[in-house]
C-alpha cells in the first residue's frame, strides 16, 4: 500500500481513499453556502454550544455522522482536518469568526481560548465581528461579560492587532485547501497526505520501469525488498521444514542472490540474455545489482 515515492508498490489504501472521499463533503459544505442540502444539514445539526467547524450532532444517526467523524480518523495520523482549510477572506459572511482559519496561523478559538469562552455567540461570522465603515475597520464584540482580568485584557489587545492587520476586500470569500498547490480540494491530495503520514520510507530506491509488464515490475520490486519466496524465506516462515539447498546447485542454500545471480543455471541464462541482446556480458554479485544494470548499458 505504500506510495512508490516511499519505495512501495503504490496500490493505495481503501481506508485512506474512503476517508478522503468523506472529507470532500467538508469542502463542499464550506464552498457551497447557498446549496439546499447544506441548509438542511445546518438546520438539523447546528448548535450554538458546539465547537466543531462543521455542525454535527453525534446523537443523530445517518451518513452525516460518518462525515463528522473523519476528523477523528485523520488526527490519528497527525492531520488536523480543520486546519487544512483556510479562508481567503473578503466580506466574511460565510466564514466563522472563531472556528475557522481566516488569519495567518491557527483559528482564533485555538489562539484565544479564554476569549472564546466569553463569546456570547460562538458561531458568529467574521462579518458580525469585523466591519469596514468608510475605509475604517470597526470591531463589534458580544461578550457574556466584559474582559476583566489582566490576561483577558491583554488577549483582547493582541487579538485586535491581529484583526486590524488582516487584509479584507469586497468580493466573495474564497476557500483554499492546504495540501494542494492549486488551493482546491482533491481526494488524491488528502489520500497521499494520509499515506505519507501512515507509512514510513522503506529505504528502497527501486525505480518502476514503464516499459516492463506489470508482473515483471512487481517481481523486481519484491526482489529489491528480498520478499521473494525462496526456500530460505519459506523456511524462516515455517512454511517448509525440509531441504533448503538449491535444486540445481546442491552446494548452496537458495536465497534471492543465489537464485537470480550465483546459481550456475542463472549465470548461464544471463550470459544467453546478454548474447541475445548483443550487449556486454552481465555480471552481478547480488540480485539488486541486476535491477540497476540497465542504467549502465
Amino acid at each position: 500500500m505504500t506510495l512508490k515515492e516511499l519505495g512501495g508498490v503504490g496500490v493505495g489504501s481503501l481506508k485512506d481513499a474512503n476517508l478522503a472521499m468523506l472529507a470532500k463533503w467538508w469542502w463542499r459544505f464550506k464552498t457551497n453556502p447557498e446549496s439546499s442540502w447544506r441548509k438542511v444539514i445546518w438546520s438539523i445539526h447546528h448548535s450554538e454550544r458546539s465547537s466543531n467547524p462543521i455542525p454535527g450532532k453525534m446523537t443523530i444517526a445517518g451518513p452525516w455522522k460518518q462525515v463528522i467523524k473523519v476528523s477523528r480518523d485523520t488526527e490519528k495520523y497527525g492531520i488536523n482536518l480543520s486546519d487544512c482549510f483556510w479562508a481567503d477572506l473578503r466580506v466574511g459572511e460565510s466564514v466563522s469568526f472563531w472556528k475557522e482559519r481566516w488569519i495567518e496561523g491557527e483559528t482564533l478559538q485555538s489562539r484565544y481560548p479564554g476569549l472564546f469562552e466569553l463569546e456570547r455567540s460562538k458561531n458568529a461570522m467574521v462579518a458580525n465581528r469585523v466591519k469596514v465603515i468608510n475605509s475604517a475597520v470597526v470591531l463589534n464584540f458580544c461578550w457574556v461579560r466584559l474582559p476583566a482580568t489582566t490576561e483577558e485584557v491583554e488577549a483582547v489587545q493582541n487579538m485586535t492587532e491581529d484583526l486590524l492587520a488582516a487584509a479584507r476586500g469586497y468580493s466573495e470569500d474564497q476557500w483554499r485547501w492546504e495540501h494542494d498547490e492549486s488551493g482546491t480540494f482533491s481526494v488524491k491530495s488528502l489520500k497521499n497526505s494520509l499515506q505519507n503520514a501512515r507509512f514510513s520510507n522503506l529505504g528502497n530506491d527501486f525505480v518502476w520501469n514503464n516499459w516492463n509488464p506489470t508482473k515483471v515490475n512487481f517481481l523486481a520490486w519484491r526482489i529489491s525488498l528480498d520478499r521473494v519466496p525462496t526456500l530460505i524465506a519459506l523456511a524462516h516462515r515455517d512454511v517448509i521444514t525440509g531441504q533448503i539447498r538449491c535444486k540445481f546447485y546442491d552446494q548452496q542454500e537458495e536465497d534471492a542472490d543465489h537464485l537470480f545471480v550465483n546459481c550456475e543455471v542463472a549465470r548461464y541464462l544471463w550470459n544467453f540474455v546478454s548474447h541475445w541482446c548483443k550487449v556486454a556480458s552481465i555480471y552481478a554479485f547480488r540480485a539488486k545489482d541486476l535491477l540497476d544494470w540497465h542504467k549502465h548499458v
Side-chain angles (χ1 to χ4, degrees):
M1 295 182 182
T2 308
L3 295 173
K4 289 183 178 180
E5 292 80 2
L6 299 178
V9 72
V11 174
S13 167
L14 290 177
K15 179 180 179 181
D16 293 341
N18 182 58
L19 292 176
M21 287 188 286
L22 288 174
K24 189 172 184 178
W25 286 102
W26 285 51
W27 174 260
R28 290 174 174 172
F29 186 88
K30 292 177 178 294
T31 56
N32 296 277
E34 300 302 324
S35 59
S36 299
W37 69 269
R38 185 191 188 278
K39 294 178 181 178
V40 172
I41 292 294
W42 182 266
S43 63
I44 295 175
H45 292 274
H46 170 68
S47 174
E48 287 290 341
R49 293 176 295 178
S50 174
S51 60
N52 295 327
I54 300 293
K57 296 179 180 178
M58 303 306 291
T59 55
I60 300 178
W64 191 250
K65 183 177 181 179
Q66 302 302 319
V67 174
I68 297 301
K69 290 171 63 177
V70 170
S71 59
R72 299 181 183 178
D73 294 322
T74 59
E75 284 180 358
K76 296 177 183 177
Y77 307 111
I79 298 178
N80 188 325
L81 192 57
S82 301
D83 292 342
C84 296
F85 302 96
W86 58 277
D88 186 5
L89 194 65
R90 295 297 184 266
V91 179
E93 293 181 349
S94 60
V95 181
S96 174
F97 179 80
W98 292 100
K99 301 177 183 179
E100 295 176 315
R101 290 179 57 197
W102 59 277
I103 60 175
E104 184 178 357
E106 57 192 344
T107 63
L108 291 176
Q109 176 185 351
S110 301
R111 186 177 298 182
Y112 304 105
L115 297 183
F116 179 71
E117 292 299 323
L118 296 180
E119 170 66 57
R120 186 180 298 275
S121 179
K122 291 181 170 51
N123 287 318
M125 298 299 170
V126 175
N128 302 131
R129 295 289 173 262
V130 184
K131 300 180 181 296
V132 178
I133 302 176
N134 295 328
S135 300
V137 179
V138 179
L139 305 180
N140 180 31
F141 297 115
C142 185
W143 308 114
V144 175
R145 63 169 177 80
L146 291 176
T149 65
T150 303
E151 292 78 7
E152 292 172 350
V153 172
E154 183 178 355
V156 171
Q157 293 176 347
N158 293 334
M159 187 173 70
T160 300
E161 293 177 359
D162 292 339
L163 298 178
L164 294 177
R168 304 180 73 245
Y170 297 94
S171 58
E172 294 183 358
D173 302 327
Q174 299 289 330
W175 282 98
R176 297 284 184 260
W177 172 246
E178 193 173 71
H179 291 270
D180 197 295
E181 294 181 356
S182 66
T184 302
F185 178 89
S186 68
V187 172
K188 180 180 179 180
S189 64
L190 179 55
K191 184 174 68 173
N192 289 342
S193 297
L194 286 170
Q195 291 183 336
N196 277 308
R198 288 183 60 192
F199 302 113
S200 58
N201 196 319
L202 299 179
N204 182 24
D205 57 354
F206 177 75
V207 178
W208 292 79
N209 191 335
N210 294 330
W211 290 6
N212 287 338
T214 302
K215 61 181 181 181
V216 175
N217 262 326
F218 190 68
L219 174 60
W221 174 76
R222 295 178 68 185
I223 292 173
S224 69
L225 293 174
D226 196 18
R227 303 289 173 82
V228 181
T230 58
L231 292 179
I232 287 183
L234 293 175
H236 286 167
R237 293 169 174 80
D238 295 325
V239 177
I240 60 173
T241 57
Q243 177 62 257
I244 59 174
R245 293 187 179 277
C246 176
K247 301 299 182 180
F248 299 107
Y249 193 67
D250 190 56
Q251 296 182 9
Q252 294 186 8
E253 296 178 342
E254 184 189 280
D255 59 6
D257 288 337
H258 176 79
L259 184 63
F260 291 96
V261 176
N262 298 323
C263 180
E264 292 293 337
V265 177
R267 292 178 180 177
Y268 174 81
L269 288 174
W270 287 121
N271 185 59
F272 175 79
V273 169
S274 60
H275 180 74
W276 177 54
C277 294
K278 298 180 180 180
V279 296
S281 298
I282 301 175
Y283 295 104
F285 298 98
R286 301 178 306 160
K288 288 185 178 181
D289 295 337
L290 294 173
L291 305 180
D292 295 328
W293 180 82
H294 67 283
K295 300 178 182 178
H296 310 290
V297 179

